Amino acid sequence: MQEQLLEKAKKVLEKNWQDGFTIPCEGLYPFQWNWDSGFIALGWAHIDMEKAKSELRYLLSGQWSNGFLPHIIFHNEAETYFPGPEVHNSSLSPFASRLKTSGITQPPVLGFVLEEVYEISEQSELPFVEELYDRVFMNHSYFYENRDPHNEGLVYICHNWEAGTDNTPVWDEIWKDLDSPEYQLERRDTKHVDASNRPSNREYQHYIHLIELFKEWKYDDALIAQKCPFLIQDPLFNAMLIRSNESLIRLGTLLHKEDAVRQLEAWNKKAKKSFQTKLYDPALKAYIYFNLRAGKPMKFVSSSSFASLFAGIPSKKEATEIANKYFRNGSFSGKNSAYLLCASFNPESTNFDPKRYWRGPVWINLNWIIYHGFKRYDLEDLADQIKADTLFLLEKYGFYEYFDPRRAVHQQLDAGYGGNNFSWSAALYIDLLKNANV
Ligand code: GLC
C-alpha cells in the first residue's frame, strides 16, 4: 500500500514539474509558489536531488535586489489563475526582480529546507548549501531591516496571503473595519474547485484592495509599515523565520561564515524572547497573534499557534501544558478524539468551519511542521498521532489540498477538499515516510 502510494506521490511531482520548478496544483496554482517550493524540494530530495536543487534555485532566481523573496514567481504564462502578474505589477518597486513576481511574500522556510536537503543528501550537498546560503541570509536580513519597526525581533506580515493561511478567521476583525471597494473580480479558483470550500468574494475584495494600496505606494516598505491596515505579527511566520535562523546558524558554522552566524544568533536571541513575552498568552496557554496596526493582541488559537514547538520557543513545561490542554484533553483532538490532527482553527470556536480552506480543515504542511515540533519536545504520543492521522488521510483519499478534521465524517466521505494532486501533500508524504527520524 505505502509502496504504491509512494509511486503515486512521485507521479504527482513529476506531473507538476515544469522544466526547472514544480507548480503546486494544475489549473488552480499554475506558477511557482514560495513556501510550496520549500516543502516540494523536500519530497524531490528523496527521489531526485537535482530536481530539489533546481526547485530552490528557480525560487531564488525571483529574489529582489533588497533580499525580498516574492510569494509567486511567474516563470510561465497561464490563464487559469487570478490575480496574475499584471495585477501584482511588482515592477513598480525599484528593487523588483527582472522576472515577473508578486510583491508580497510567504513564510520563510528556506533556511530549514536547505538544512533538511543537506541531511537527506547525507551531507554531500554542502557546495549547494554554500551556493544558496548568502541569498537566504539576505532574505532574513530584509525582514529584520524592513519589517520590524520597533526592533523587537518579530517581523510583520502585511497581507493575509503572506501568512500562508489565507482566510483564517483571525483576519475577520480586520476585514470588518476595512472599507474595500466592491471590485468586480474574475475569480478563477472557484472554476476549479467547490466555491463553498474557498474564501468568499468579499474576502477576495479585501485581498485585492491591499494589493492596490501596495501599488499606490510602489511597494515601499516604509510606507507599508506606516499606513497598511493589515500589519500582523503572526506566530507561524515568525516561528518559520526563527527555525530557519537556527538552520542557517548550523550551516553557517559548517561553512565558516562567522559574521553571518553572529548576526543570526543575535536575531534569534531577541526574536525568541519577544515571541515568548509578546505572543504567549498564559491564560490561554497558547501562542497568539499581535495586531501591530491596532496595537493589541488577537487572541485566537490556530494550527499556526503550534508552529512555535518546531522553533523551540516554549519551555519543556509550557510545551507539556500545550500538549495537555489542546491535544491530550482538549479542543484540537481530545480524549474522545473527535478530531483528526490538526485542525487549522480551534474546533471549539464559533468561527470554526471544517470544510472551508483555513477556517478548520487539516493541511499537510502544518501537520509536518507540528509533527516535527512534537518530536522536538519528545511528545512521542502526539507525534505518532499526528503522523498516523496524516497518513490515514493521504492513504484514504490521495494527495488533496486539505481535509475534513472531523473523525466521524470519514466513514461517509470519499474525497479530500480543494485541488487534487497537490504537490506539497505528495512531497511531504514522501518525506514523512522516508525521513521519519530526522
Ligand atoms: C493557497 C494556500 C497557500 C499556498 C498556495 C499555493 O493560497 O493558502 O498557503 O501557498 O495556495 O499552494
Side-chain angles (χ1 to χ4, degrees):
M1 166 77 179
Q2 290 190 335
E3 275 310 310
Q4 267 174 343
L5 205 58
L6 273 173
E7 266 315 297
K8 271 199 185 153
K10 205 169 140 190
K11 292 241 158 63
V12 168
L13 292 186
E14 274 161 5
K15 205 155 161 276
N16 290 341
W17 174 257
Q18 312 274 312
D19 265 342
F21 70 97
T22 315
I23 57 171
C25 186
E26 201 185 329
L28 192 58
Y29 307 114
F31 308 107
Q32 186 173 30
W33 258 258
N34 179 333
W35 77 328
D36 294 67
S37 279
F39 295 116
I40 291 166
L42 296 183
W44 277 129
H46 293 286
I47 53 182
D48 187 336
M49 189 53 86
E50 287 312 308
K51 289 205 168 79
K53 286 158 63 177
S54 172
E55 186 78 41
L56 300 177
R57 287 186 181 120
Y58 262 68
L59 180 62
L60 282 162
S61 71
Q63 187 170 32
W64 294 12
S65 63
N66 61 350
F68 174 85
L69 192 60
H71 98 300
I72 305 177
I73 324 272
F74 301 100
H75 296 288
N76 47 328
E77 309 263 326
E79 291 300 318
T80 58
Y81 179 81
F82 172 86
E86 63 300 329
V87 177
H88 287 281
N89 195 8
S90 62
S91 62
L92 288 168
S93 164
F95 303 112
S97 158
R98 57 180 177 78
L99 301 182
K100 288 181 182 165
T101 74
S102 68
I104 55 176
T105 189
Q106 268 189 331
V109 299
L110 279 193
F112 68 79
V113 164
L114 209 51
E115 189 181 23
E116 293 272 338
V117 167
Y118 171 67
E119 291 301 337
I120 294 168
S121 78
E122 297 178 345
Q123 312 190 340
S124 68
E125 289 291 353
L126 198 57
F128 174 68
V129 172
E130 183 156 30
E131 178 192 327
L132 264 49
Y133 187 91
D134 289 349
R135 280 180 278 165
V136 181
F137 177 83
M138 205 178 140
N139 181 235
H140 290 207
S141 259
Y142 159 81
F143 283 123
Y144 291 112
E145 278 167 21
N146 295 287
R147 288 178 174 233
D148 182 13
H150 308 309
N151 205 5
E152 299 170 282
L154 295 178
V155 304
Y156 66 70
I157 54 170
C158 55
H159 195 287
N160 57 297
W161 279 331
E162 294 203 312
T165 59
D166 306 4
N167 68 332
T168 176
V170 182
W171 318 140
D172 292 359
E173 66 184 57
I174 299 180
W175 306 144
K176 196 166 53 58
D177 296 335
L178 204 60
D179 201 14
S180 303
E182 308 230 340
Y183 307 102
Q184 291 302 318
L185 302 177
E186 255 193 77
R187 299 267 304 259
R188 312 259 162 91
D189 55 327
T190 46
K191 298 205 163 76
H192 305 292
V193 296
D194 187 345
S196 71
N197 294 347
R198 299 281 308 180
S200 69
N201 278 336
R202 186 60 187 144
E203 282 170 311
Y204 253 75
Q205 289 169 340
H206 296 310
Y207 306 171
I208 297 303
H209 178 50
L210 290 176
I211 290 175
E212 292 301 327
L213 290 176
F214 300 154
K215 286 192 287 188
E216 206 178 299
W217 303 330
K218 300 194 169 25
Y219 289 98
D220 181 296
D221 285 304
L223 284 178
I224 291 173
Q226 229 173 54
K227 297 182 170 189
C228 182
F230 188 108
L231 215 64
I232 309 289
Q233 289 165 324
D234 175 281
L236 170 63
F237 197 97
N238 279 284
M240 296 299 96
L241 186 55
I242 290 171
R243 181 63 186 76
S244 280
N245 281 337
E246 282 185 345
S247 287
L248 290 188
I249 290 170
R250 285 191 286 267
L251 296 173
T253 307
L254 293 177
L255 294 168
H256 307 291
K257 292 188 176 276
E258 283 86 13
D259 292 346
V261 169
R262 220 171 298 120
Q263 178 64 78
L264 288 156
E265 282 171 347
W267 284 330
N268 245 12
K269 194 164 170 218
K270 194 189 269 181
K272 283 188 161 185
K273 192 159 172 237
S274 294
F275 200 114
Q276 184 62 30
T277 49
K278 196 169 186 187
L279 302 186
Y280 187 65
D281 185 309
L284 284 174
K285 292 199 193 326
Y287 294 88
I288 55 168
Y289 301 68
F290 194 89
N291 184 336
L292 210 49
R293 175 57 65 233
K296 57 171 198 202
M298 303 167 93
K299 300 194 175 198
F300 296 98
V301 185
S302 71
S303 51
S304 297
S305 305
F306 308 123
S308 52
L309 295 162
F310 182 52
I313 310 286
S315 64
K316 182 83 190 153
K317 180 168 168 276
E318 283 150 358
T320 310
E321 284 173 357
I322 292 170
N324 289 337
K325 173 159 180 183
Y326 291 100
F327 298 106
R328 295 195 179 118
N329 304 308
S331 44
F332 279 80
S333 146
K335 280 209 175 97
N336 59 1
S337 205
Y339 296 100
L340 294 163
L341 290 180
C342 179
S344 47
F345 197 66
N346 192 346
E348 268 171 11
S349 159
T350 48
N351 294 323
F352 171 72
D353 179 341
K355 292 182 164 179
R356 202 185 272 272
Y357 221 40
W358 290 95
R359 301 179 76 87
V362 175
W363 287 75
I364 301 304
N365 65 334
L366 261 296
N367 273 18
W368 184 95
I369 289 167
I370 298 168
Y371 166 74
H372 286 284
F374 288 148
K375 284 260 181 208
R376 182 166 182 158
Y377 285 85
D378 298 322
L379 300 163
E380 290 300 331
D381 57 328
L382 296 177
D384 288 349
Q385 189 185 337
I386 197 165
K387 184 172 172 190
D389 290 353
T390 308
L391 298 186
F392 164 78
L393 290 169
L394 296 172
E395 286 168 4
K396 175 156 182 178
Y397 302 111
F399 304 108
Y400 276 89
E401 190 181 3
Y402 42 100
F403 300 88
D404 203 304
R406 294 168 298 174
R407 195 178 289 277
V409 301
H410 290 287
Q411 278 149 17
Q412 296 107 45
L413 277 183
D414 52 18
Y417 299 144
N420 195 358
N421 299 322
F422 190 71
S423 294
W424 84 36
S425 299
L428 294 177
Y429 180 72
I430 298 172
D431 187 67
L432 275 176
L433 286 189
K434 297 218 175 203
N435 207 22
N437 298 321
V438 170

